[in-house]
Amino acid sequence: MALSMTHQIGSLAGTPIPSEAANSSGESTATVSAAAVWKSPVSSIRCRVQKPGTEIDAITPPLSPRMATSPVIGGIRPDLSVACLAYVTDMEAPAAATMEGLSTEVVREYKEEVAQVKGKGVPVYVMMPLDSVTMGNTVNRRKAMNASLQALKSAGVEGVMMDVWWGLVERDAPGAYNWGGYAELLEMAKKHGLKVQAVMSFHQCGGNVGDSCTIPLPKWVVEEVDRDPDLAYTDQWGRRNYEYLSLGCDTLPVLKGRTPVKCYADFMRAFRDNFEHLLGGTIVEIQVGMGPAGELRYPSYPEQNGTWRFPGIGAFQCYDKYMLSSLKAAADSAGKPEWGSTGPTDAGQYNNWPEDTNFFRREGGGWDGPYGEFFLTWYSQMLLDHGERILSSAKSIFQSTGVKISVKVAGIHWHYGTRSHAPELTAGYYNTRFRDGYLPIAQMLARHGAIFNFTCIEMRDHEQPQDALCAPEKLVKQVALATRAAQVPLAGENALPRYDDYAHEQILKASSLDIDGNSVEMCAFTYLRMNPDLFQADNWRRFVAFVKKMKEGKDTNKCWEQVEREAQHFVHITQPLVQEAAVALRH
C-alpha cells in the first residue's frame, strides 16, 4: 500500500511521522519509521569558544526561533505539504480537476514573476541529500524526492547540485560503471525543468561536517590501500586518513595498473559518454572533487573519531612515503637535504592554537623563517599541481559539451586574524598576513576556465568566536579580490545549514560585494541543503523570499519585508491546493 504524502516527504527526515488523520474504519494512529540518513541541523548558532586563560568571549545574537511543529490540517502537516506543491500543476488525476482556480493562478503568476527577473541577480541551486542514490544504485525515497524537486522549481530555484559518488558508480570493479540511480535522478530533474550541477565526488562520504551517511571509496581502491597504507594521507603520528587518496601518488600506477588521476579521468569520461544527451542542457556544471569533502585541500581537520575539534589548527598531511619522497627531492633541489626528511616537528597537534606552537606563533614562528617558507611553498604547490592535473583532464573531457567546470575551496575562517593563519596553512593554502594564498589558486583555475566555488558565504564575523580571531567576511572579501584579479568567476555556498534572515541577508550581501568602488558578482549560489527542515512552513516562506531576492538582485527597490510578504501570500494561498493533491495521492 502506497505511503501517504505526509509519509513520503516525512521519510526524508529518517524519523517516525505520525499520521493523525483517522480513516473511515476508525483505525488507530499509524507511525512509519524510515532509516535515519539526514541530521537535523543544530537549532541554535549560539556558541562560546574560550581559550583557557583568556577572558574574551563571543556569543552570537539569537536567531529567529524555528517554528514549532504545525498541527495536522486535512490529514497532512502544512510544514510538510509545501514540498508536495509540484504535484499540483501537472496532476492528471481527477481530483486535480477540482482544484481551486485561484490557487492554480497564483502558482502560475508567481512562476512567471520569478522567470521575468532571471538574469538580473544570482541563480540559486540547492544541494540534494548526500544519499540521493542508494548503495543499490536506485533513487532513494523516490516519491518524496520527486515532490521536493517540484517544490523547489515552484519556488524559482534554478537547479540542484548532486554528488555523483565514485564509491557507488565504480564500486565493484575497475571500469565497471553503474549509473542506475543517477540516470533516473537526472531525468527527474529534467522533467521538472531544473538544471544540475554534478559533483564528481572522488572522496569518501562520512567523517566531515554534515556527513549523514557513509559511502566509502570503491572496494577495489580500498583493497589497494589495505595493501599499501601509504596511499592514504598520513600525519606525523602515523594516523591514516582514508577520505581521499594522497595526492603524492597522483601519477603512479598504484590502482591495479592505473594512476589515480587516470581513474578520475576515466570516471569523468564515462559520465560524459553516458549523459552526453543532457550535457549543456540539464547538466550545466561539473564540479570536480579534489580532496576531502570534495574540496581542493588536505584533510588537515578530520572530525572523525574526535581527532579535530573547532577551532583547532589542524595538522600537516605529508607523512606518507610518496609525499616524503617528493619533499626529499625538493629539499635536495634547494640545496638543503636536511629539510627533506620530515615536515615541521614543532607545529603542535590538531587542537592546539597558533600560540601553543613554535612553528605558528606570532613572534619568531618557524612559518616566517627560511625553512618555513621552503616547506609551505612545497606543500601548497603540491596541492596546486594536483588541481592542475585533474583540471587538465576535466577540461579535455568536457570541452565542447556546453558545461562549466568548477572547483570548491574551503572557507577556513578560524584564526584568520593571526599572522600565520595556521589552519589555512595545514590545509594547503599558503595564506598569511604577508602573503595571498588564494590568488595562486584563482590563477590556476583561470588557466582552465574553471569557476572558483567558495564556502562560508553565510557567516558574519561577529557570529563567530572572536577569541579564535574568526573572520569569515574578511576571508570572503579576500577571495573575491583574488578572483577579480585572476578574472575567474566566483560562486558560493553556505558552509552550515541556516534558515534565518540573518544568513539570507549576508548571502545576498556577499553575492555582490562592493570592493573599492567595483562590484564582484557571484555567478551562482548553492544552498545547503534539501531536507525536511527546509520544508518546514516558516523556513520555507523565508527560503522562497530569499530565492526571489537573489534572482532580483540586492539593488532591487523592494525591501526584504515586501518580498517576504509576497512569498507568504504564495505559500498561504496554495495550501488548499497542496492538501487536496495529498489526499488524491493517498488513494
Side-chain angles (χ1 to χ4, degrees):
M1 182 171 161
L3 294 177
S4 72
M5 183 53 57
T6 306
H7 294 148
Q8 290 167 20
I9 303 301
S11 67
L12 289 170
T15 54
I17 301 294
S19 176
E20 301 178 19
N23 60 27
S24 57
S25 61
E27 293 177 356
S28 61
T29 300
T31 299
V32 173
S33 181
V37 290
W38 270 333
K39 294 178 183 175
S40 294
V42 178
S43 60
S44 174
I45 308 298
R46 294 174 64 85
C47 59
R48 184 178 188 273
V49 178
Q50 187 163 331
K51 185 79 169 68
T54 68
E55 298 180 355
I56 303 174
D57 185 33
I59 299 181
T60 66
L63 303 180
S64 303
R66 192 174 298 167
M67 290 281 287
T69 301
S70 306
V72 174
I73 301 175
I76 180 170
R77 280 167 33 192
D79 58 324
L80 298 178
S81 66
V82 290
C84 313
L85 183 61
Y87 287 105
V88 173
T89 54
D90 296 318
M91 184 175 287
E92 297 176 0
T98 67
M99 301 277 177
E100 299 180 26
L102 174 61
S103 297
T104 305
E105 184 67 15
V106 168
V107 174
R108 184 184 64 78
E109 289 178 357
Y110 191 85
K111 285 183 175 180
E112 288 178 355
E113 184 180 353
V114 169
Q116 287 173 1
V117 300
K118 184 176 181 180
K120 295 181 180 178
V122 178
V124 175
Y125 291 77
V126 175
M127 295 185 206
M128 295 185 71
L130 294 169
D131 65 336
S132 293
V133 173
T134 69
M135 295 300 287
N137 298 95
T138 60
V139 174
N140 204 5
R141 304 174 300 274
R142 184 179 287 105
K143 289 185 178 180
M145 193 73 69
N146 188 67
S148 299
L149 287 177
Q150 190 141 348
L152 294 178
K153 179 63 178 178
S154 75
V157 165
E158 184 80 6
V160 293
M161 173 179 279
M162 65 175 68
D163 286 280
V164 183
W165 296 104
W166 188 27
L168 287 182
V169 175
E170 199 181 357
R171 178 179 56 220
D172 296 323
Y177 305 103
N178 185 338
W179 302 104
Y182 291 107
E184 186 177 354
L185 259 187
L186 287 165
E187 287 299 329
M188 196 181 289
K190 179 182 178 182
K191 180 183 73 172
H192 294 309
L194 291 166
K195 306 297 183 185
V196 173
Q197 299 167 318
V199 184
M200 303 290 101
S201 295
F202 299 120
H203 61 287
Q204 166 191 292
C205 181
N208 277 298
V209 177
D211 283 357
S212 52
C213 62
T214 299
I215 302 172
L217 298 180
K219 292 178 181 178
W220 52 275
V221 173
V222 174
E223 289 172 2
E224 294 299 326
V225 176
D226 288 342
R227 290 193 190 97
D228 182 2
D230 281 293
L231 296 178
Y233 281 116
T234 308
D235 64 22
Q236 70 182 89
W237 305 280
R239 186 185 286 107
R240 308 286 188 179
N241 186 294
Y242 300 101
E243 293 179 65
Y244 186 87
L245 292 174
S246 169
L247 62 79
C249 61
D250 266 358
T251 60
L252 302 174
V254 293
L255 298 180
K256 299 191 182 301
R258 290 190 296 167
T259 69
V261 170
K262 180 70 162 61
C263 290
Y264 305 149
D266 289 346
F267 183 91
M268 291 188 286
R269 190 174 295 106
F271 180 88
R272 178 201 66 189
D273 294 345
N274 198 77
F275 298 111
E276 189 172 10
H277 61 293
L278 297 176
L279 295 175
T282 297
I283 303 170
V284 295
E285 182 179 322
I286 301 294
Q287 186 172 108
V288 187
M290 295 192 174
E295 297 167 335
L296 178 65
R297 65 174 175 88
Y298 293 99
S300 56
Y301 49 99
E303 283 201 307
Q304 200 165 28
N305 301 321
T307 302
W308 171 87
R309 296 183 306 276
F310 177 84
I313 59 177
F316 292 112
Q317 306 290 312
C318 60
Y319 293 88
D320 63 80
K321 67 182 182 184
Y322 302 106
M323 290 291 285
L324 287 176
S325 175
S326 172
L327 177 60
K328 183 179 185 304
D332 289 344
S333 177
K336 294 285 187 178
E338 65 274 19
W339 289 349
S341 60
T342 183
T345 57
D346 57 352
Q349 300 189 22
Y350 284 97
N351 295 306
N352 283 140
W353 289 38
E355 290 304 311
D356 297 332
T357 74
N358 288 328
F359 190 77
F360 293 120
R361 68 188 182 190
R362 173 190 176 96
E363 299 291 347
W367 64 275
D368 199 27
Y371 167 73
E373 183 179 357
F374 160 77
F375 173 79
L376 294 170
T377 298
W378 167 81
Y379 189 67
S380 60
Q381 188 61 48
M382 288 287 283
L383 188 66
L384 288 170
D385 291 346
H386 172 68
E388 193 95 49
R389 284 188 287 268
I390 301 177
L391 268 183
S392 294
S393 294
K395 182 179 179 181
S396 173
I397 291 165
F398 291 107
Q399 64 182 351
S400 304
T401 62
V403 301
K404 299 174 182 176
I405 305 293
S406 70
V407 173
K408 184 159 72 167
V409 177
I412 303 174
H413 59 85
W414 52 104
H415 301 296
Y416 183 85
T418 63
R419 290 185 180 182
S420 63
H421 292 230
E424 293 164 87
L425 298 184
T426 57
Y429 307 153
Y430 193 175
N431 191 57
T432 70
R433 183 168 296 180
F434 314 117
R435 180 188 178 103
D436 187 345
Y438 298 100
L439 182 58
I441 297 173
Q443 290 170 333
M444 184 267 289
L445 298 181
R447 286 194 290 274
H448 299 279
I451 296 168
F452 193 124
N453 188 292
F454 197 63
T455 62
C456 82
I457 301 299
E458 83 286 10
M459 295 180 178
R460 298 185 295 176
D461 290 353
H462 73 265
E463 292 176 342
Q464 306 302 317
Q466 291 305 297
D467 50 341
L469 298 181
C470 301
E473 290 180 81
K474 295 180 181 65
L475 174 58
V476 168
K477 181 177 179 180
Q478 181 187 351
V479 167
L481 284 169
T483 58
R484 187 177 72 181
Q487 297 185 315
V488 64
L490 175 65
E493 297 179 4
N494 50 313
L496 299 172
R498 292 280 296 270
Y499 308 98
D500 57 285
D501 287 338
Y502 295 119
H504 291 164
E505 290 168 4
Q506 182 61 31
I507 294 167
L508 182 66
K509 174 184 174 183
S511 69
S512 179
L513 282 175
D514 187 4
I515 304 175
D516 301 327
N518 295 308
S519 180
V520 179
E521 306 276 349
M522 284 187 186
C523 61
F525 179 81
T526 304
Y527 190 90
L528 175 79
R529 170 181 314 271
M530 189 176 93
N531 64 20
D533 285 310
L534 177 60
F535 295 121
Q536 189 270 341
D538 206 44
N539 292 343
W540 179 251
R541 173 183 56 79
R542 285 193 292 263
F543 176 74
V544 170
F546 163 71
V547 172
K548 194 170 190 294
K549 194 77 172 177
M550 286 286 283
K551 292 176 83 71
E552 291 178 352
K554 71 174 185 179
D555 294 328
T556 181
N557 293 326
K558 292 182 182 178
C559 66
W560 191 272
E561 289 75 15
Q562 181 181 351
V563 176
E564 279 218 344
R565 284 195 299 272
E566 293 171 359
Q568 174 64 32
H569 179 65
F570 164 71
V571 172
H572 172 74
I573 202 70
T574 54
Q575 283 295 333
L577 212 67
V578 175
Q579 292 161 8
E580 196 166 349
V583 170
L585 285 167
R586 282 201 297 271
H587 292 83

